Amino acid sequence: MNKIIVRGGNPLVGEVKISGAKNSALKIMAASILTSEPVVIGNVPYIRDVSVMSEVLGELGLSVERTNGSVTLQAKGPIGMEAPYQLVSQMRASIIVLGPLLARLGRARVAMPGGCNIGLRKIDLHIRGLEMLGAKIDVGQASIEARADVLVGANIPLDFPSVGATENIMMAACLARGTTVLDNAAREPEIVDLADCLNQMGACISGAGTSTMIIEGVDRLHGVSFNIIPDRIEAGTFLVAGAITGGDLTVTSVKPEQMGMVLKKLEQIGYKVDVGDSTVNIKGAGGPCGINISTLPHPGFPTDMQASFMSLLSLAEGTSIITENIFENRFSFVQELNHLGGRVNIERHHAVVIGKRTFGAGTVKAPDLRAGAALVVAGLAAGGLVEISDIHHIERGYENFTGRLQVLGADIELAPDERPLELAVKEEEGYDIPDISAGL
Ligand code: EPZ
C-alpha cells in the first residue's frame, strides 16, 4: 500500500487535461450487457473503479478489452446472471448491472452493495422502479434476486432524483414492451451521456437532463462506438487545487456548461474564473471570502465537490456554512481536516467552517474517494509535511493524481506506507487496534 506525501506552499501553474467521467464510464460499460454486439467506449479513465467494473462484467461472461484510452466490451453470450459479493463489495456502483441483466436475461442476482463511508446508500428506489416494470425482486441479507418474464413500460415517479435508480430503470426500460415515463428523474450530465449512448445503440429515450424522461421500449439494441464526457468532478478538484495554492491553473478538455454551480461558487469566494469552449482557468485571489453552500441534485451544487470546498473555505476570510443534503454521513473527513489545522464544527447536516485557518504538518487517512482528494488539496496549502494514507480510495476515481499535480508544480510524491499491511487492513475493516504505545 502507498501513501501520499505533500509539502504545501507551491502555487499550481499550467494546464491539466481532464479524464473521462468515472460516473459515466461505469454505467456505459454496464450498458454493453444490453446488446450482443461490440461496444467501444472512448475516453475511459485509468482508475480502479473501471478495473473493478471490468472484472464484474468479465465475471458475467462479457469480453472486456482495454486498449489505450478505450474499452471494448461484448456480451456475446452465454451471459451469467450473478454479480458476486467479492466484486460488488469493492464498488457499490456494481448494482448498476441489475437493470441491464433483467432486460437482457430476465433474471439477475446481485450481492447487496451495502453502505459505505458516506452513507447508507439505499437501493429501494432502484427496486421499486424495476418492480413497476414487472420484475419480481427478493431483497435478501446477502443478495438481490430478480426475475422478469417480460418487462412492461410504466409510469414511474421517483421519490428522490436518484442517479443510480434513474440509470438502472432507464436501461431496463429500453427493452421493455411499451412506454416508460420516469418522473423526478436525476438530471446529472452523466445521465444525459448514458441516454445519448443508449440512443446511439438504437434505444428511444427523450427528456434526458430534465426531470421527466420518456423511454419507448425497442426489441433490441446494437453495438456502438462512443466517447464519454469529461469528468466534471475531477475538473472541479483541480480548479480548487489551483485556487487554494494561489496559482494560475487551466483545466482542458472539459465541458464548462456542466460545471456551472461550481464555477459560480469559486467566483463568489473571490477567484477569477475564465471560461473557454473546452477550458476553464482559475487564478488565485487576494483574500478569498467565506460563502454558504448547500449540496443538491444537479444542477445544484454537487455533493462530490463538498469536501474540497471545505478545505478551500477553511482558508477564506470569515465563516462558511456547508449543508450536505444528499448523503447522511459525508462529513466523515472533518476530523482529519481539523487535525491539519481546520476548525469545522458539525451541527447535524451543517458544517460550520471557521475561516482564516492555516494548515500545518500532520498524518491523516483518506476516509473515502472525494474526502481523500480534499485532504490532498489541503496538503497543497499546508505549511508543513502532510502524509495521507489509505490512498486506494483516491485511486478509485483520480487517474495519476499525484503525477499530474507534480507537473503543475506541487511538491508531492507517492511513498510506501510502512504500516504493517495487516494493521492497515484491520484498521480498514474497523477493528479496534490496541494502542500498543500505551503499554510501552
Ligand atoms: C452517484 O451515486 C455517484 N456515483 C456519486 O458519486 C454521487 O455522489 C451521487 O450519484 C449523487 O450525485 C456513481 O455514479 C457511481 P444517488 P448514487 O442514488 O447513484 C439515496 C463519487 O464520489 N437513495 O443519487 O449512489 C441515497 O442513499 C460518488 O464519485 C435512496 O434513498 O447516488 C443518497 O442519500 C460518491 N434510495 C441519495 O439518494 C435509492 O434507491 C443520492 O443517491 C437510491 C438512493
Side-chain angles (χ1 to χ4, degrees), residues 180-246:
T180 295
V181 178
L182 188 53
D183 266 327
N184 197 25
R187 299 169 54 191
E188 275 68 5
E190 293 75 26
I191 300 281
V192 178
D193 213 28
L194 175 59
D196 288 347
C197 181
L198 290 166
N199 281 338
Q200 290 184 33
M201 293 168 70
C204 185
I205 301 169
S206 57
T210 74
S211 296
T212 303
M213 293 177 68
I214 298 174
I215 303 111
E216 303 287 352
V218 295
D219 294 335
R220 60 183 292 280
L221 296 182
H222 52 72
V224 69
S225 187
F226 187 84
N227 279 337
I228 59 171
I229 54 172
D231 194 314
R232 59 195 169 98
I233 304 301
E234 180 189 84
T237 308
F238 274 105
L239 288 173
V240 170
I244 204 171
T245 58

Side-chain angles (χ1 to χ4, degrees), residues 22-23 27 122-125 162-164 304 326 370:
K22 165 179 87 77
N23 293 346
K27 297 31 169 331
K122 294 187 292 183
I123 57 168
D124 55 316
L125 301 176
S162 154
V163 170
D304 294 345
I326 306 295
R370 304 302 177 186

Side-chain angles (χ1 to χ4, degrees), residues 174-404:
C174 281
L175 295 179
R177 283 192 197 148
T179 304
T180 295
V181 178
L182 188 53
D183 266 327
N184 197 25
R187 299 169 54 191
E188 275 68 5
E190 293 75 26
I191 300 281
V192 178
D193 213 28
L194 175 59
D196 288 347
C197 181
L198 290 166
N199 281 338
Q200 290 184 33
M201 293 168 70
C204 185
I205 301 169
S206 57
T210 74
S211 296
T212 303
M213 293 177 68
I214 298 174
I215 303 111
E216 303 287 352
V218 295
D219 294 335
R220 60 183 292 280
L221 296 182
H222 52 72
V224 69
S225 187
F226 187 84
N227 279 337
I228 59 171
I229 54 172
D231 194 314
R232 59 195 169 98
I233 304 301
E234 180 189 84
T237 308
F238 274 105
L239 288 173
V240 170
I244 204 171
T245 58
D248 179 350
L249 185 148
T250 302
V251 290
T252 64
S253 303
V254 296
K255 289 183 179 287
E257 65 276 14
Q258 296 177 346
M259 305 169 62
M261 189 57 80
V262 168
L263 302 183
K264 196 180 298 171
K265 288 297 179 183
L266 287 170
E267 287 179 323
Q268 276 179 13
I269 296 172
Y271 294 101
K272 189 171 178 329
V273 176
D274 290 306
V275 173
D277 292 340
S278 61
T279 62
V280 178
N281 170 272
I282 194 162
K283 289 185 180 63
C289 64
I291 60 168
N292 295 334
I293 289 174
S294 285
T295 65
L296 287 169
H298 192 79
F301 186 89
T303 175
D304 294 345
M305 286 302 306
Q306 179 251 98
S308 290
F309 267 72
M310 194 183 289
S311 296
L312 182 63
L313 291 167
S314 295
L315 309 189
E317 194 78 38
T319 298
S320 304
I321 295 177
I322 297 179
T323 302
E324 172 57 57
N325 296 306
I326 306 295
F327 290 106
E328 56 272 55
N329 184 31
R330 209 164 195 179
F331 290 142
S332 61
F333 98 119
V334 163
Q335 184 182 340
E336 303 296 303
L337 196 68
N338 286 345
H339 177 68
L340 294 180
R343 203 163 128 225
V344 182
N345 303 307
I346 305 300
E347 291 169 27
R348 291 181 323 121
H349 63 306
H350 305 286
V352 180
V353 185
I354 307 297
K356 288 306 276 175
R357 308 295 294 173
T358 48
F359 292 130
T363 300
V364 289
K365 272 193 227 172
D368 64 68
L369 164 57
R370 304 302 177 186
L375 289 171
V376 172
V377 165
L380 292 169
L385 186 144
V386 172
E387 278 194 13
I388 303 161
S389 59
D390 292 352
I391 62 166
H392 55 280
H393 290 295
I394 301 174
E395 290 159 347
R396 285 189 46 211
Y398 290 92
E399 182 178 336
N400 187 22
F401 197 38
T402 50
R404 294 156 83 194

Side-chain angles (χ1 to χ4, degrees), residues 59-260:
E59 185 75 20
L60 292 172
L62 281 77
S63 64
V64 185
E65 197 184 326
R66 173 109 230 201
T67 47
N68 300 330
S70 298
V71 178
T72 301
L73 307 105
Q74 188 166 9
K76 220 170 183 173
I79 307 165
M81 58 167 278
E82 179 162 7
Y85 175 76
Q86 80 268 17
L87 290 172
V88 175
S89 60
Q90 289 182 49
M91 182 181 66
R92 297 189 64 269
S94 315
I95 189 70
I96 209 66
V97 303
L98 183 58
L101 284 175
L102 267 178
R104 177 78 188 272
L105 294 181
R107 57 205 174 104
R109 182 182 304 127
V110 180
M112 276 303 274
C116 65
N117 291 345
I118 62 176
L120 288 173
R121 310 299 292 275
K122 294 187 292 183
I123 57 168
D124 55 316
L125 301 176
H126 298 240
I127 302 301
R128 200 176 313 144
L130 294 172
E131 285 176 335
M132 291 179 81
L133 291 175
K136 301 279 177 289
I137 302 182
D138 288 324
V139 180
Q141 283 292 324
S143 66
I144 302 149
E145 300 274 346
R147 297 190 75 81
D149 298 333
V150 64
L151 292 173
V152 178
N155 292 341
I156 302 173
L158 285 178
D159 291 352
F160 178 87
S162 154
V163 170
T166 299
E167 292 161 338
N168 246 331
I169 295 164
M170 172 173 33
M171 286 195 276
C174 281
L175 295 179
R177 283 192 197 148
T179 304
T180 295
V181 178
L182 188 53
D183 266 327
N184 197 25
R187 299 169 54 191
E188 275 68 5
E190 293 75 26
I191 300 281
V192 178
D193 213 28
L194 175 59
D196 288 347
C197 181
L198 290 166
N199 281 338
Q200 290 184 33
M201 293 168 70
C204 185
I205 301 169
S206 57
T210 74
S211 296
T212 303
M213 293 177 68
I214 298 174
I215 303 111
E216 303 287 352
V218 295
D219 294 335
R220 60 183 292 280
L221 296 182
H222 52 72
V224 69
S225 187
F226 187 84
N227 279 337
I228 59 171
I229 54 172
D231 194 314
R232 59 195 169 98
I233 304 301
E234 180 189 84
T237 308
F238 274 105
L239 288 173
V240 170
I244 204 171
T245 58
D248 179 350
L249 185 148
T250 302
V251 290
T252 64
S253 303
V254 296
K255 289 183 179 287
E257 65 276 14
Q258 296 177 346
M259 305 169 62

